Amino acid sequence: MGFLIAVDGPAASGKGTIAAKLARLYGYPALDSGLLYRAVGVRLLAEGGDLSDVAAATAVARTLDPAELEKPEVRTRAAGEAASRVAIHTPVRECLRDFQRAFAAQEPGAVIDGRDIATVIAPWAPAKLFVTASPEVRAERRWRQLTAQGEAVEYADILADIRIRDERDSGRSDSPMVRADDAVLLDTSEMTIDGAFDAARRIVEAAR
Ligand code: C5P
């Protein structure tokens, strides 16, 4: 097993940015595990499927192609919503588990961000962070990001999305979003990107 850095937390908490920066700093490959669920939701919808259809969602997850993670459609607001709806299905999660575990174990190390990396995918990870921020701050960040991508979205709608997604992700029975007992909590509400990265780096250094 390599030195895995597990970065969990809710939508738009800053975990993706922090994970990408840590990966660059240490020269490790990074996986944004949310993209896996987003890609499943996007293909299922494109095929005219229903997000609550477990068998159809599982069939998509089983045949997921890494190239699908690169498509711009997986970064939209609708994809985030679809992702959290297919992510409640246990067979979908099982299909995506082996890939994540293999990625996690590579030498000399890796960074994965998601919801259940430290709790389910790789509880053995030497470095675990749970990155969060207030719903209002996260909604503001997500609104800026989507607007910069050219999506016409209202702040109030994004805040409502975030609250619904938090509830769905932490309330589901399989692999709910929860801080692992030994994960270090990092609240980025009042932090700049540089400040949050610096704090994350110190937490990882302490685990090395
Ligand atoms: O991180 P991101 O917002 O892209 O994730 C989209 C959705 O995918 C989350 O709301 C969650 O439902 C699901 N997800 C998950 N487990 C992960 C990563 C994402 O259930 N490890």
Side-chain angles (χ1 to χ4, degrees), residues 85-101:
R85 293 179 58 191
V86 295
I88 65 173
H89 306 317
T90 293
V92 168
R93 304 197 71 85
E94 280 169 353
C95 281
L96 303 175
R97 207 164 278 167
D98 287 350
F99 173 74
Q100 294 175 82
R101 288 201 169 134

Side-chain angles (χ1 to χ4, degrees), residues 2-207:
F3 185 80
L4 176 66
I5 306 172
V7 186
D8 290 305
S13 57
K15 67 182 190 309
T17 305
I18 288 172
K21 280 175 158 286
L22 288 171
R24 217 169 302 132
L25 176 69
Y26 295 111
Y28 294 162
L31 173 66
D32 172 352
S33 63
L35 290 180
L36 300 169
Y37 298 91
R38 284 169 177 262
V40 171
V42 164
R43 169 131 66 88
L44 186 58
L45 289 176
E47 290 174 353
D50 184 333
L51 297 170
S52 62
D53 183 340
V54 183
T58 309
V60 173
R62 203 174 289 132
T63 57
L64 206 63
D65 183 324
E68 291 177 75
L69 310 187
E70 310 294 329
K71 293 184 174 171
E73 301 96 278
V74 301
R75 309 235 173 227
T76 63
R77 175 185 171 200
E81 162 74 14
S84 80
R85 293 179 58 191
V86 295
I88 65 173
H89 306 317
T90 293
V92 168
R93 304 197 71 85
E94 280 169 353
C95 281
L96 303 175
R97 207 164 278 167
D98 287 350
F99 173 74
Q100 294 175 82
R101 288 201 169 134
F103 193 97
Q106 64 189 298
E107 303 275 359
V111 185
I112 309 186
D113 72 279
R115 302 289 187 291
D116 63 340
I117 307 306
T119 50
V120 174
I121 298 298
W124 55 267
K128 298 174 183 162
L129 284 86
F130 191 87
V131 181
T132 191
S134 73
E136 291 77 12
V137 166
R138 291 188 283 125
E140 166 87 25
R141 289 177 187 162
R142 185 47 55 89
W143 179 82
R144 281 184 196 284
Q145 185 189 351
L146 291 169
T147 304
Q149 277 172 215
E151 259 198 84
V153 287
E154 296 289 335
Y155 169 81
D157 293 336
I158 299 302
L159 179 58
D161 275 7
I162 283 205
R163 291 192 194 281
I164 291 168
R165 199 119 76 84
D166 283 358
E167 230 173 85
R168 197 183 289 134
D169 288 349
S170 46
R172 69 183 176 219
S173 54
D174 188 349
S175 314
M177 172 178 72
V178 62
R179 182 176 72 83
D181 292 339
D182 55 350
V184 181
L185 182 70
L186 181 60
D187 187 330
T188 67
S189 301
E190 313 274 312
M191 293 179 175
T192 60
I193 290 175
D194 285 349
F197 172 55
D198 204 47
R201 193 181 49 76
R202 273 184 272 119
I203 292 166
V204 172
E205 284 301 321

